[in-house]
Each structure stands twice: as C-alpha cells, then as structure tokens.
Amino acid sequence: MADSNFIDYVKIFCASGHGGAGSVHLHRAKYVPKGGPDGGDGGRGGHIILRANPQFWTLIHLKYKKIIKAENGAKGGAALCKGKQGQDIYLDVPVGTVVKDAESEEILFEMMEAGEERILCKGGRGGLGNNNFKSATQQTPVYAQPGEEGQEGWFILELKILADVGLVGFPNAGKSTLLAAITSAKPKIANYAFTTLEPNLGIVRYHDDKSFVMADIPGIIEGAHEGRGIGLRFLRHIERNSVLLFMVSAEEKSIVESYRILLNELEMYNPELLDKDRVLAVTKCDILDRAAEKKIVRTLPDDIPCILISSITGEGLQELKDELWAALNETPGQ
C-alpha cells in the first residue's frame, strides 16, 4: 500500500544557531593613534520557530526532514558594527499540533490558534564586544565575550485533529457513509473492516448558513487502548472533539453492549473523554422493519440522546443534525 499523505506523528532533531562572538578592536585613525575600544557585539543565532498554519492538515512535510539547524550569528566588527543575526527557521504545522520533549515525553506546548508562533529552540545570544567592558580603570580592554551556544534536542510533534463532532464506532458501523451523506467529504467506503485508515473531516451545513466540523475517526475495536487494531493510533484525535457521536450498527446483537464496549475503550485510554457530550446513533436502520425498530428503541440507554438513522434513505439525519447542533451550543450549567 502506498504511503498515506496523512502523517500525525514525527520525531525531529532541532538545533538553533550559536551566537556570534563579540569583537576585540581598538579604534585607529590617521589622527587618532590610540583610540578607545570599538569592538561590536556578535549577532544572535537563529531561532527555530513553530507556526500554526490553518492551511496544513498533516505533518508529512516534516516526515523526511529529520534534522533542522538554524544559522549561526556572525561575529561583531570594528567601529561598533554588530554581527549579522542568524536567519530564523519557521516550521509550519497544523493547528492542533502537540510538541513534546522526545526524551521525557513531557508536553512543552500545544499549537491551538491559527497564526500562533512559538519558539522551539532559542538562538544563542551574541557575545558583547570589548567596547562594553571599558571603565575608568580599564580604558582599553582587549577581551570580549564569546557567543552563547544555541539549544538543541529531539522533539516529537503529534497532531490531534480539531473538530466539533467526532465519530466513534467499530469498523463498518457506517461512519464514513454518514460523513459522505451529510457533508461534501468523499471518504473511502467499502464493506470490510478498517476501510478508514486516517481521519476524514467534513463540514456539516445547518440552518441559516450555520455549520460544524465532523471527523470520521478510524474504527475502534475492543482492546484498542492496549494497542489492538489501529484504534490506539487515532484515539488521541478524539480528545479534541467537542461532542462524541457514538455509532452502532443495527446489525449488532446488542446495541447497548456495543456502546458500553466503545465507552470503556475511551475511558481506559483517557477518563476525561467521558466528560464530553455524547449522542448515540443506531445506523443502517433501512434494514429494519417497524417492529424491529420498536424493539431496538426499548433497549436503548436513557442517559444520552439516541437516534435511529439510515445514511442510505436519509432516515433520522435531520434529527441527528438538530441533536448535534443542540449539544454543540448547549449553555454550560443547563
């Protein structure tokens, strides 16, 4: 299988530039044979700066760029000339990128706002020239500071998808079909497990030009929090969704039991996910008759909104959008 364009994890080595050394120089001119010190300061080393770019949705541009080094600052010159500053390097990353120290795995910061800039490695300061060290008792200092070394290290960049609604379900629960039915997204759809191998985003149009973003997350299987299947790789994308839409196929033996398994996987991965608003959709209801629908309704949990839908016939889709919009705009405390 060809490599996917969706890359949500990279490990890179970054090194900012060293500061330039200060200059040791004494002013000399035709009629000034013994002028004072005029050595300039060294230039700052280049920073390595991360910039959140809303036009980026993947980290693939950094996948094959493992080592990134910024330019060193230049040495100071005579006549108080300051050395040239090392050129900064800007790395564009998607909004939602988490930056970690690769050794300790400590989270350093998160890029959450479009246009946000954060210095990953700070360039070393330039050294002071000998002009800075003159005094009443030392009028011709012949020493200057060396430039400060830059910072370096290995860093992990992880992308967590930002979306209003995240779809949670087993493979073949109909997540991709729903996304295709109510958005303009065109995810791959087929009748086999793990059709979706990367998150897909779509914009759901609502009344009066309102809209919200929906993310189709690859299917979760029981044991995903322990690394089974491919769910573990994508569970982190669910963390940033405001509302979780659980999707269980009407073909399942027990809707409630399937829902509980999905809920347990999220809880084992991150208990805080259970604090998010949830909606349950029973999918593929076009295969049911009225009697079967009524039977399913009687078994549904009563602690969350439950809707029977069919992405093929359109049954329940408007009701589902109404419920999701209400959850997204719920007033805190209500």
Side-chain angles (χ1 to χ4, degrees):
M1 183 179 67
D3 286 345
S4 169
N5 287 331
F6 181 79
I7 301 296
D8 59 358
Y9 177 100
V10 294
K11 184 177 180 180
I12 58 176
F13 178 83
C14 293
S16 59
H18 302 318
S23 172
V24 176
H25 191 271
L26 300 176
H27 178 64
R28 293 292 182 266
K30 185 174 182 180
Y31 299 107
V32 189
K34 293 184 178 180
D38 67 349
D41 300 339
R44 170 179 66 76
H47 297 323
I48 294 181
I49 303 170
L50 295 187
R51 178 169 53 198
N53 188 334
Q55 301 300 317
F56 282 61
W57 64 280
T58 173
L59 295 169
I60 193 171
H61 59 294
L62 298 176
K63 181 179 180 181
Y64 304 107
K65 196 174 183 180
K66 296 294 186 183
I67 298 177
I68 300 164
K69 292 185 177 180
E71 186 180 34
N72 294 332
K75 182 180 178 180
L80 300 180
C81 289
K82 186 173 182 177
K84 180 182 176 183
Q85 177 178 301
Q87 185 173 359
D88 297 332
I89 291 181
Y90 284 84
L91 300 178
D92 285 314
V93 297
V95 178
T97 299
V98 180
V99 182
K100 297 181 179 179
D101 180 276
E103 185 174 345
S104 66
E105 295 197 352
E106 175 191 0
I107 295 178
L108 303 178
F109 53 84
E110 302 183 17
M111 308 292 287
M112 298 297 293
E113 300 291 336
E116 178 182 1
E117 295 182 2
R118 299 290 292 267
I119 296 176
L120 181 60
C121 289
K122 191 174 183 179
R125 291 177 297 181
L128 297 176
N130 66 336
N131 175 68
N132 295 277
F133 300 102
K134 63 184 178 183
S135 67
T137 57
Q138 180 63 279
Q139 296 186 2
T140 56
V142 289
Y143 53 85
Q145 284 183 333
E148 186 179 67
E149 291 188 356
Q151 300 174 341
E152 64 179 35
W154 284 94
F155 301 93
I156 292 173
L157 305 185
E158 285 183 352
L159 174 60
K160 294 182 180 180
I161 291 293
L162 287 168
D164 298 308
V165 178
L167 306 184
V168 181
F170 296 125
N172 280 351
K175 301 185 300 298
S176 297
T177 306
L178 175 66
L179 192 72
I182 63 175
T183 77
S184 58
K186 301 193 182 329
K188 182 178 179 182
I189 300 171
N191 191 29
Y192 57 84
F194 301 124
T195 304
T196 301
L197 297 176
E198 60 190 49
N200 291 301
L201 295 178
I203 298 176
V204 180
R205 302 294 178 186
Y206 197 59
H207 302 302
D208 302 323
D209 296 325
K210 300 182 180 72
S211 64
F212 56 90
V213 178
M214 179 176 283
D216 173 18
I217 309 299
I220 297 173
I221 64 172
E222 190 169 9
H225 70 278
E226 298 173 340
R228 293 189 60 200
I230 59 173
L232 181 63
R233 178 183 170 194
F234 294 107
L235 277 170
R236 67 172 174 270
H237 292 301
I238 300 173
E239 295 183 77
R240 292 271 173 77
N241 303 149
S242 300
V243 175
L244 300 181
L245 174 57
F246 286 78
M247 299 183 64
V248 179
S249 171
E251 299 168 316
E252 295 287 342
K253 292 182 179 180
S254 171
I255 304 296
V256 173
E257 181 58 26
S258 296
Y259 168 66
R260 297 300 179 196
I261 291 173
L262 292 169
L263 205 59
N264 181 65
E265 290 304 319
L266 266 58
E267 182 177 20
M268 296 300 290
Y269 174 73
N270 182 355
E272 293 182 4
L273 291 176
L274 300 192
D275 294 333
K276 296 180 180 292
D277 286 332
R278 305 191 296 269
V279 176
L280 174 61
V282 180
T283 66
K284 305 183 182 180
C285 289
D286 50 285
I287 66 173
L288 303 176
D289 57 26
R290 291 300 177 187
E293 282 192 1
K294 291 180 179 179
K295 183 178 179 181
I296 285 179
V297 169
R298 288 196 295 268
T299 66
L300 295 177
D302 54 11
D303 57 339
I304 65 168
C306 301
I307 302 167
L308 274 60
I309 68 169
S310 168
S311 300
I312 304 299
T313 66
E315 175 189 351
L317 294 189
Q318 184 57 52
E319 183 184 354
L320 177 63
K321 289 195 284 186
D322 291 341
E323 195 63 57
L324 292 173
W325 182 260
L328 287 169
N329 294 277
E330 183 180 17
T331 303
Q334 287 188 349

